[in-house]
Amino acid sequence: MLRILVTGGAGFIGSNFVRFWIRRHPQDRLVNLDKLTYAGNLANLADIATAPHYRFVRGDIGDFALVDQLFREEKINRVVHFAAESHVDRSILGPGEFIRTNINGTFTLLEAARAHWRLDGGRAKSADRGDAGGFCFLHVSTDEVYGSLGPNDPAFAESTPYAPRSPYSATKAASDHLVSAYGHTFGVPVIITNCSNNYGPYQFPEKLIPLTIQRAIKRETIPVYGKGENVRDWIYVEDHCEALEAVLERGKIGETYNIGGGNQWRNLDLVQLICDKLDERLGRDDAPRRKLIRFVEDRPGHDLRYAMDIGKISRALGWTPKVPMDVGIAKTIDWYLAHQDWVERVMSGEYKNYFARQYGARLR
């Protein structure tokens, strides 16, 4: 039995991973530690809340005593570290929380993991031996640590130098370096994954795809930064979960693996695709939803393009993404249409205050 500590497992990617892992590996013990900030929501996990080997703990990864207690009580032998402040726009409005969670929180988690690993005899997971009892700390990170690409630049590889350009990506880069250092200096068995933009069910509605879906459903103005020319590589969240499964089962300690969906889309083209698909489902009412799009003042330091070279993970672990963008977007739209009650619950006053701060003046 694997005994897995998932941090941030009530957030978007984390909750999808928790549900995915319990469905695929019901025999494993899974402990979900989440602070339940604005983006963490237990409603994301209502369907598996009573699963026999699942435990939810509300708490902060920066609380060493709590994290250390969980390692000892549960005899954790895998960590999957999602917990992070993750929205670039929010990092521009207030970088402090990103430093506290992404850097200091990761440091505290690593310290607890190091202490537990040494007490447990310092055994590492070995993909070559298939040693399921050994320890592994999987740090889930982002493509944004690599900086920005020009229109014709080759995709980010694992050897691409770090060049973060926002407070968010800078704190994720710092956490990546901390994880790597604990591997090199202290021997903690670590693996890092850097993934492109995720989308799918349960994503908080401040991010581009769910924000566009929700505002298009309600026929509200859809803000698009600049001229909508920024390009992102998109991956359906379940594809990301399958990639993490491959890393946990077959990944090599000390390595970094880039994960991407192979779906490079301009923001404007993606927003227009969502509008068109909602027109097909809900009707136009004599006005296509593309007419809701309004270009607004760009955010500071907006990276032009991200793209991921997934050759390494494909060759080494046999993983490739399965869900094409048009299929994934259709599934995502259908999920949000069927779960408007969930959307209304998470779009609290705090979310509305954020939207007003971020877009209010731009839309005026």
Side-chain angles (χ1 to χ4, degrees):
M1 177 192 290
L2 296 186
R3 307 184 69 86
I4 304 172
L5 175 65
V6 175
T7 70
F12 163 48
I13 304 175
S15 64
N16 276 280
F17 177 82
V18 167
R19 186 179 298 101
F20 169 89
W21 197 269
I22 288 174
R23 185 176 72 246
R24 298 270 280 250
H25 307 274
Q27 75 284 356
D28 290 341
R29 175 67 163 170
L30 195 149
V31 180
N32 176 7
L33 174 63
D34 197 294
K35 191 177 177 180
L36 296 183
T37 61
Y38 72 95
N41 189 343
L42 286 181
N44 296 359
L45 296 163
D47 56 326
I48 55 91
T50 59
H53 298 298
Y54 172 69
R55 176 187 177 189
F56 173 76
V57 178
R58 183 171 186 174
D60 190 339
I61 59 170
D63 182 346
F64 179 86
L66 172 61
V67 175
D68 183 61
Q69 178 185 345
L70 289 177
F71 273 111
R72 292 170 184 268
E73 284 181 356
E74 297 287 351
K75 296 181 173 57
I76 298 297
N77 57 23
R78 297 287 189 280
V79 177
V80 186
H81 178 31
F82 292 102
E85 294 286 340
S86 65
H87 193 200
V88 173
D89 289 350
R90 283 183 181 266
S91 80
I92 295 169
L93 292 172
E97 192 58 41
F98 287 72
I99 292 169
R100 283 187 289 274
T101 299
N102 299 359
I103 300 176
N104 295 339
T106 299
F107 161 70
T108 302
L109 189 65
L110 282 165
E111 281 288 277
R114 176 165 72 112
H116 172 77
W117 171 66
R118 294 174 78 175
L119 285 173
D120 195 41
R123 290 190 303 135
K125 175 181 97 67
S126 169
D128 296 332
R129 295 198 312 268
D131 180 6
F135 190 83
C136 178
F137 186 110
L138 172 55
H139 178 59
V140 182
S141 190
T142 173
D143 57 357
E144 297 190 36
V145 298
Y146 296 122
S148 182
L149 294 169
N152 301 311
D153 288 340
F156 298 132
E158 288 81 358
S159 59
T160 300
Y162 277 30
R165 292 156 53 95
S166 72
Y168 161 61
S169 57
T171 59
K172 287 300 289 184
S175 66
D176 288 8
H177 290 319
L178 273 175
V179 171
S180 180
Y182 269 65
H184 284 287
T185 303
F186 302 119
V188 178
V190 300
I191 301 176
I192 297 171
T193 59
N194 296 92
C195 190
S196 61
N197 285 37
N198 281 234
Y199 70 100
Y202 297 103
Q203 188 169 28
F204 194 71
E206 69 187 4
K207 298 295 182 77
L208 176 64
I209 287 176
L211 183 145
T212 300
I213 291 171
Q214 195 59 23
R215 293 186 72 83
I217 288 172
K218 293 182 173 293
R219 288 196 168 275
E220 295 174 339
T221 300
I222 302 169
V224 174
Y225 285 136
K227 296 181 179 179
E229 294 178 345
N230 303 79
V231 175
R232 298 295 180 262
D233 178 4
W234 293 92
I235 183 170
Y236 190 64
V237 66
E238 183 126 342
D239 274 342
H240 187 189
C241 293
E242 289 191 350
L244 295 175
E245 179 186 49
V247 171
L248 282 168
E249 292 181 343
R250 303 185 294 281
K252 183 178 179 182
I253 295 299
E255 293 292 328
T256 294
Y257 298 96
N258 281 357
I259 300 169
N263 293 306
Q264 293 185 53
W265 281 71
R266 290 195 315 158
N267 286 349
L268 178 58
D269 295 333
L270 178 54
V271 170
Q272 289 174 337
L273 173 68
I274 293 169
C275 289
D276 294 346
K277 286 192 175 293
L278 279 166
D279 284 346
E280 293 171 5
R281 284 161 175 73
L282 302 179
R284 289 189 173 196
D285 295 335
D286 299 325
R289 284 174 170 78
R290 288 188 179 207
K291 290 189 175 294
L292 299 169
I293 297 169
R294 185 179 300 177
F295 297 117
V296 299
E297 177 188 351
D298 209 350
R299 74 182 181 205
H302 197 175
D303 291 344
L304 177 63
R305 174 174 165 253
Y306 305 144
M308 293 295 259
D309 180 344
I310 62 169
K312 178 178 177 178
I313 192 172
S314 298
R315 291 188 301 270
L317 307 183
W319 174 86
T320 54
K322 297 176 182 176
V323 182
M325 192 69 174
D326 60 336
V327 173
I329 286 293
K331 291 171 67 173
T332 302
I333 288 172
D334 289 343
W335 187 90
Y336 278 93
L337 285 171
H339 292 82
Q340 283 294 290
D341 56 339
W342 179 90
V343 176
E344 294 300 328
R345 285 199 302 271
V346 303
M347 291 178 67
S348 64
E350 193 279 337
Y351 165 77
K352 292 175 182 176
N353 290 338
Y354 158 76
F355 188 89
R357 291 197 309 272
Q358 189 63 26
Y359 293 109
R362 289 178 167 92
L363 287 173
R364 286 195 296 274

